[in-house]
Amino acid sequence: MHHPLWIMSLVFALLTTAVPAQGGQKTQSLLRVKVGKNTYEGKAVASDKRQFWLMSTDGELNALSFGEVGSFKKISPRFKSDSLVQVRDDLKRRYGRKYEVAANGHYVVCGPRGRAREYAKLFEGIYNRFYSYFRVRRLKVTQPEFPLVALVFPDHASFARYAAGDGVRAVRGLMGYYHHHTNRVALFDPGDSVAAIDAGYDYQLPAWTGFPREQQSFSGFTGAISASTGSSESGLRDTMIHEATHQIAFNTGLHSRIGENPKWIVEGLATVYEAPGIRDGGSHTKTADQINRDRFVWFMNYAQTRRPKGALRNFVAGDNAFNASLLDGYSHAWALSFYLIQTRSSAYARFLNAVAHRDPLKPYGAAERLKDFEGAFGKNLAVLDAQFLRYMKKLAASLEQR
């Protein structure tokens, strides 16, 4: 067994001596590491005194403890990510004839027979519109290093078995998720059975006059639980959009796949992109057409009835708001992200870039989060909060007049 200190020194050397290759990415060696009965292959992408992160050729991340490494070997001087064809063929071998595998652009989708091509086209469409929208708004969006994989299971039982392998409990109402370690989206195609799964998840919003009553329902909530008041098709579509947005953001440099990411940033970006007016691009140029109506209605009620004074400071400093009330947290994340993108797009782009490229293995506590936020948007958070709320009220007033 190799001594942990020797392995630490080698990993550090590999991380610091990697040289830029074509496209600006650093070239690293391909390593083979044995931990107990398991063998891992990949490149070292981060390390501290206790562990190092190994990224495999298909994009999966594993955190390995130095003290548990049995053997460590460099097997190639150059790490090369798997091609779309390699990923497609691997999925075909793994899932067999019961499933169909199709590739389109950046995506490889494994799904029910006769449906995979359709799903691949939908996912690639989400990617293309996402990339264009955020690139225009000066966010530093890069090309994914690995093919993006989505698994669409034909029923909840097979989805639940797969999720268990990821350490995800497929609770009632969960329609899909993105896992930033496996780097894959997993969903299930509910078909006619979704009615039984969605039953009891009809979140009715308190009355607010900004929209007609039939629009005042919180549909398609996916971060953990999917709550849909509409058809099974709309619930699956909303889940696809939300989780694919997470996957794309984590693979185009907007978020780091290692370490802490403030939940309001991650969920805020995803909920901004849920809005049809955002995804439709040129056909919806007015601000009012680009809002996420479900989140907007919920946030306005929250702001008017129970949002505490000084909420902005606490919200950006930690994730407790999501623990206190999940729907309040998601709606607050959407509203703040939408406001910053619409009114301070350059500062928002710099802020996202700074958070994504901080040392991912260092703790990201309240003081550090506040410092980064204030560095981008100013230290007077009371004034910023007042401007934020005034903007949302004006938007509400303009919608009432339409």
Side-chain angles (χ1 to χ4, degrees):
M1 178 179 292
H2 292 299
H3 194 279
L5 289 177
W6 180 84
I7 299 172
M8 286 174 62
S9 299
L10 179 56
V11 169
F12 180 77
L14 290 169
L15 287 169
T16 54
T17 60
V19 297
Q22 187 175 4
Q25 292 184 336
K26 290 185 175 181
T27 301
Q28 291 202 0
S29 302
L30 179 63
L31 312 174
R32 179 176 292 149
V33 182
K34 288 189 177 181
V35 178
K37 296 181 179 180
N38 298 317
T39 301
Y40 303 89
E41 290 186 2
K43 63 178 178 178
V45 291
S47 70
D48 59 19
K49 293 180 179 180
R50 297 181 301 105
Q51 62 182 2
F52 64 103
W53 288 86
L54 199 72
M55 182 175 284
S56 67
T57 55
D58 66 356
E60 182 175 357
L61 275 169
N62 287 285
L64 306 178
S65 171
F66 284 115
E68 295 178 356
V69 172
S71 65
F72 187 97
K73 183 180 181 181
K74 184 167 75 170
I75 58 176
S76 173
R78 186 180 181 88
F79 173 91
K80 185 179 179 181
S81 59
D82 290 344
S83 68
L84 213 68
V85 172
Q86 287 174 304
V87 173
R88 183 197 64 190
D89 291 346
D90 179 67
L91 289 172
K92 284 182 177 180
R93 287 191 296 269
R94 184 169 300 185
Y95 289 96
R97 295 182 179 180
K98 185 179 178 181
Y99 292 87
E100 177 184 42
V101 180
N104 190 318
H106 300 83
Y107 265 92
V108 182
V109 175
C110 178
R113 296 201 66 80
R115 302 284 306 271
R117 291 181 185 277
E118 177 187 355
Y119 281 118
K121 183 179 179 181
L122 290 171
F123 274 110
E124 182 63 12
I126 294 169
Y127 175 92
N128 289 331
R129 290 188 289 273
F130 177 98
Y131 193 90
S132 297
Y133 177 84
F134 289 106
R135 190 74 179 264
V136 166
R137 281 153 185 81
R138 300 180 182 180
L139 271 72
K140 191 175 181 180
V141 186
T142 60
Q143 287 289 327
E145 183 178 3
F146 306 94
L148 304 179
V149 175
L151 305 171
V152 185
F153 294 94
D155 52 64
H156 189 263
S158 53
F159 167 73
R161 286 193 294 272
Y162 175 84
D166 278 348
V168 175
R169 184 166 164 260
V171 295
R172 184 170 172 263
L174 182 71
M175 294 186 70
Y177 62 91
Y178 164 69
H179 199 299
H180 66 277
H181 287 176
T182 66
N183 203 31
R184 297 183 173 187
V185 166
L187 310 162
F188 79 96
D189 187 338
D192 295 333
S193 65
V194 76
I197 296 168
D198 280 345
Y201 288 90
D202 186 353
Y203 290 103
Q204 292 298 324
L205 285 143
W208 182 73
T209 58
F211 296 110
R213 181 63 196 175
E214 61 268 20
Q215 294 178 344
Q216 294 183 31
S217 61
F218 199 97
S219 60
F221 170 65
T222 63
I225 301 297
S226 172
S228 177
T229 59
S231 66
S232 60
E233 290 81 5
S234 66
L236 178 59
R237 183 188 64 244
D238 293 342
T239 303
M240 284 178 61
I241 293 166
H242 189 96
E243 304 309 330
T245 302
H246 283 322
Q247 184 180 40
I248 297 164
F250 275 98
N251 280 271
T252 55
L254 298 184
H255 308 316
S256 171
R257 287 178 57 202
I258 305 173
E260 297 180 58
N261 290 279
K263 193 166 185 176
W264 78 266
I265 296 177
V266 174
E267 298 301 342
L269 195 71
T271 50
V272 164
Y273 193 67
E274 283 177 357
I278 293 287
R279 300 194 310 277
D280 293 345
S283 60
H284 293 83
T285 57
K286 294 181 179 179
T287 301
D289 294 330
Q290 298 181 0
I291 69 169
N292 183 325
R293 295 198 168 205
D294 292 332
R295 269 61 175 190
F296 180 64
V297 173
W298 192 282
F299 175 77
M300 292 308 297
N301 180 270
Y302 166 63
Q304 293 171 8
T305 61
R306 58 192 179 278
R307 186 175 185 263
K309 188 175 180 180
L312 180 61
R313 175 175 291 274
N314 292 331
F315 188 67
V316 300
D319 297 333
N320 290 336
F322 291 87
N323 299 327
S325 174
L326 201 59
L327 299 184
D328 287 352
Y330 271 79
S331 298
H332 201 171
W334 168 80
L336 180 58
S337 300
F338 183 77
Y339 167 71
L340 295 174
I341 290 171
Q342 293 292 331
T343 66
R344 293 165 169 80
S345 59
S346 295
Y348 179 77
R350 291 193 300 271
F351 171 65
L352 240 62
N353 187 61
V355 174
H357 292 90
R358 58 178 296 276
D359 186 339
L361 298 183
K362 288 185 178 179
Y364 201 25
E368 291 79 12
R369 294 186 184 198
L370 279 170
K371 181 180 178 181
D372 287 343
F373 188 83
E374 291 174 345
F377 305 110
K379 293 186 176 181
N380 197 332
L381 297 190
V383 170
L384 180 64
D385 197 28
Q387 293 170 340
F388 163 47
L389 294 176
R390 187 159 54 246
Y391 175 88
M392 302 306 291
K393 288 178 181 177
K394 286 183 178 179
L395 185 55
S398 69
L399 291 169
E400 288 178 343
Q401 295 171 4
R402 295 182 70 186

